[in-house]
Amino acid sequence: TFERLEEAPLVVVKRSGERQPFDRAKVVAGLVAAAKARPVEPAVLDELVIGLEDDFRLTGPEVTTADVGRA
């Protein structure tokens, strides 16, 4: 097992200006939909999203929906 330090919450800023907590499950669901007809293992998608979340945290406590979509 491994432990992760408790991290400051990551906030997603929508185009409307609304702020919501980052939800890893929503990003995974989007990737699953995008890769629907492709042979991609769910574990690979989970690891990808974990890496993206870590990258977003390096840039600051807030990320825009456009940045999430591009990533």
Side-chain angles (χ1 to χ4, degrees), residues 9-13 19-28 49-50 52-54 56-57 61 63-64 68:
L10 184 61
V11 177
V12 176
V13 181
R19 287 171 163 69
Q20 291 186 343
F22 181 83
D23 186 358
R24 188 180 301 152
K26 285 184 180 181
V27 180
V28 170
V49 174
I50 289 170
L52 289 174
E53 184 178 2
D54 289 343
F56 292 148
R57 287 186 187 283
V63 63
T64 65
V68 175

Side-chain angles (χ1 to χ4, degrees), residues 30-71:
L31 289 172
V32 167
K36 179 171 55 174
R38 301 189 185 271
V40 180
E41 295 293 323
V44 172
L45 297 178
D46 287 336
E47 288 297 318
L48 175 64
V49 174
I50 289 170
L52 289 174
E53 184 178 2
D54 289 343
D55 291 345
F56 292 148
R57 287 186 187 283
L58 292 175
T59 63
E62 293 185 346
V63 63
T64 65
T65 54
D67 292 338
V68 175
R70 264 193 305 273

